[in-house]
Amino acid sequence: MPTPSETAPAPPGAAPATGRERAKARRRAELLRAAAALFAERGFAGVSIDDVGATAGVSGPAVYRHFPSKQALLGAVLLEVSTDLLERARAVAAATADPAARLAALVAFQVDFALEQPAVIVVQDRELPHLAEEDRRTVRALQRGYVSLWVDALGELAPGRDPADLTLRAQAVFGLINSTPHSLRAARRLRAPQGAGSTGPARAALEEMARAALRTALAPGSDPFPAPTVPGGTP
């Protein structure tokens, strides 16, 4: 059974030193992207190693040079994205001491993630039971760390609230944001055009709906979020 150490990426900043190592890292990344898309589209049980290899442009046996099994491949997809999500969210949260600005930044960050990586959202939601036990525990711990960033910001804005209540509200907002791009086809339609000056109507609408949900945790009349400007509309 694979462990996180067998599926984990190289340490951050440890760039491949040789052309061969760089090519191997690129191939690994291609396999992870292909696996995420296929697992989202067909489900873990409906995808074979040969399918992943064909999508990435290599033979099935070549996949085993990077991952010892399909389960290890799924583990790598979810471990890497969960680690990256938490590390980047920590950087977002650390960028401001103001809890309202921090929470607004976390909302924008989650919306960006959901719209840009809809396949991973589907895999996270549906395929966690197929992970090796140790990988599943690690992913769950990373997810709890991510939720705690939101709960900490909410707790500063609503100090009288039970942390369990704030956790429930944060998770409900994740569900709201993540359900919108759950269909890969819908997510492609919702993305803003490349090079567009605006962030796109879907992104603006999701951010406002998430903020509206989070406002329910605060005291009546309290609104720490700046009024958004929806493209084509008014604040």
Side-chain angles (χ1 to χ4, degrees):
M1 179 176 291
T3 66
S5 62
E6 290 177 306
T7 59
T18 68
R20 182 175 181 180
E21 289 172 341
R22 287 191 293 272
K24 184 176 181 179
R26 282 195 300 272
R27 177 64 70 195
R28 186 180 189 278
E30 290 166 358
L31 289 168
L32 289 174
R33 284 193 295 271
L38 288 172
F39 291 151
E41 180 183 355
R42 305 179 193 174
F44 180 76
V47 176
S48 69
I49 285 290
D50 286 341
D51 293 333
V52 175
T55 301
V58 300
S59 66
V63 178
Y64 289 108
R65 297 173 190 162
H66 302 269
F67 306 99
S69 67
K70 188 174 71 167
Q71 188 182 49
L73 182 53
L74 175 64
V77 169
L78 292 182
L79 284 165
E80 290 197 17
V81 73
S82 299
T83 299
D84 180 64
L85 192 67
L86 178 57
E87 289 178 352
R88 290 194 292 133
R90 282 174 173 163
V92 168
T96 177
D98 177 67
R102 193 186 322 144
L103 192 59
L106 287 169
V107 168
F109 173 75
Q110 179 65 27
V111 169
D112 284 343
F113 172 73
L115 290 176
E116 295 303 321
Q117 299 200 53
V120 172
I121 292 289
V122 175
V123 176
Q124 281 184 322
D125 181 54
R126 192 175 60 197
E127 306 300 345
L128 204 62
H130 295 291
L131 286 177
E133 180 59 32
E134 190 172 353
D135 284 349
R136 185 163 54 251
R137 285 197 301 268
T138 302
V139 169
R140 286 296 195 195
L142 292 166
Q143 290 174 339
R144 287 193 297 272
Y146 183 72
V147 173
S148 72
L149 295 174
W150 288 63
V151 172
D152 289 346
L154 272 172
E156 291 186 54
L157 295 169
R161 288 277 187 178
D162 186 331
D165 175 77
L166 298 179
T167 298
L168 178 63
R169 291 170 187 272
Q171 291 172 332
V173 170
F174 299 155
L176 184 158
I177 294 172
N178 293 348
S179 66
T180 301
H182 206 274
S183 160
L184 299 179
R185 186 172 299 174
R188 284 193 290 271
R189 289 198 303 269
L190 288 168
R191 287 199 191 110
Q194 290 293 324
S198 121
T199 57
R203 179 173 280 103
L206 282 171
E207 288 187 20
E208 175 54 17
M209 286 189 290
R211 292 178 180 189
L214 292 170
R215 286 185 186 103
T216 65
L218 311 178
S222 173
D223 188 353
F225 299 121
T229 300
V230 178
T234 58

